[in-house]
Amino acid sequence: MNNIFITGIGTGVGKTLASACVAEALGAQYWKPVQAGLEDGTDTETVRALTSPQVTVHDELYRLRMPASPHLAAREEGIIVQEDLILHHARRLQQPGRPLVIEGAGGLMVPLNGNYFFLDLIRALDAQVIVVAQNYLGSINHSLLTAMALRSAGVNVTGWIFSGNHHTNEDDVVAWSQYPLITRIPQAERADPGFVALQAELMRPRLQELLRL
């Protein structure tokens, strides 16, 4: 399968903006299988608003009201998130020669149900992983633990996207993890389609090189 999975070192590190930029750069499809939290809008709505018509944005498979871990939000509604259903839907969305950019929720060890985590889903999807990181107190630890988990799981990692204000920690994380830098997305006062188009253009050559497209 031609899957690219966007994960983060935690919540609120810029995964959705990075997903929009990657999908725009590749003229890809975008899909967030599980959305937890609907009151403030969804990541799917954000990506749809930020990308051009060349990006196909698919609706979520699970839309859960509570802004919490998917397994908790689903439990609140009497739902069990079924990994087989997600995998089946991912296969249905496949298009020859066109990547499917899949956005996770939080980080690798966020549970989808009682015994299945996003890292398990990444492995089952046989996806190439892009890790989104942002600088904050503790981010080096979170970044390197994420890299360690991916390496231990034998997952194919494309590299890092850093978001927000630049920090020299980024160079250290790249060196220590031995995963390459794809790009950094600078802090934007207002992210709009023009900003996403510019970032997509800047990252496209490096992204294509690392993905061997």
Side-chain angles (χ1 to χ4, degrees), residues 4 24-25 42 54 60 69 75 89 97 124 130 139 157-158 170 194 197 213:
I4 299 169
E24 186 71 35
T42 68
Q54 71 167 339
E60 307 91 338
S69 169
R75 184 184 300 167
H89 202 70
I130 292 173
S139 63
V157 177
T158 302
E170 298 171 14
L213 295 177

Side-chain angles (χ1 to χ4, degrees), residues 72-213:
L72 291 176
R75 184 184 300 167
E76 181 73 13
E77 296 184 35
I79 296 170
I80 297 176
V81 176
Q82 299 181 46
E83 60 268 23
D84 289 346
L85 189 57
I86 295 175
L87 294 171
H88 174 72
H89 202 70
R91 285 191 289 269
R92 288 183 55 197
L93 294 178
Q94 294 298 312
Q95 295 180 13
R98 194 173 185 214
L100 176 63
V101 174
I102 303 170
E103 182 182 353
L108 295 175
M109 299 309 296
V110 169
L112 287 155
N113 55 42
N115 56 12
Y116 198 83
F117 299 82
F118 270 105
L119 181 57
D120 299 313
L121 178 62
I122 289 169
R123 294 179 66 181
L125 287 165
D126 192 27
Q128 300 211 69
V129 176
I130 292 173
V131 188
V132 181
Q134 194 175 79
N135 181 65
Y136 54 84
L137 186 62
S139 63
I140 293 177
N141 181 54
H142 295 162
S143 297
L144 296 182
L145 284 173
T146 297
M148 184 183 298
L150 290 166
R151 183 165 281 114
S152 296
V155 172
N156 187 355
V157 177
T158 302
W160 296 95
I161 291 178
F162 292 100
S163 67
N165 295 319
H166 178 265
H167 197 282
T168 54
N169 285 348
E170 298 171 14
D171 299 329
D172 294 326
V173 167
V174 168
W176 288 329
S177 68
Q178 298 183 347
Y179 290 142
L181 172 65
I182 299 171
T183 192
R184 72 172 332 279
I185 299 173
Q187 187 71 35
E189 289 187 13
R190 179 175 176 269
D192 57 21
F195 178 82
V196 168
L198 175 59
Q199 299 309 313
E201 182 179 351
L202 292 172
M203 75 168 64
R204 186 177 296 114
R206 179 65 167 160
L207 195 57
Q208 291 176 334
E209 173 194 355
L210 292 171
L211 291 169
R212 297 181 175 86
L213 295 177

Side-chain angles (χ1 to χ4, degrees), residues 32 34-42 62-79 105:
K32 179 158 184 153
V34 182
Q35 171 72 48
L38 303 177
E39 186 173 340
D40 296 325
T42 68
Y62 292 94
R63 290 172 56 88
L64 308 169
R65 290 188 296 273
M66 178 185 287
S69 169
H71 81 297
L72 291 176
R75 184 184 300 167
E76 181 73 13
E77 296 184 35
I79 296 170

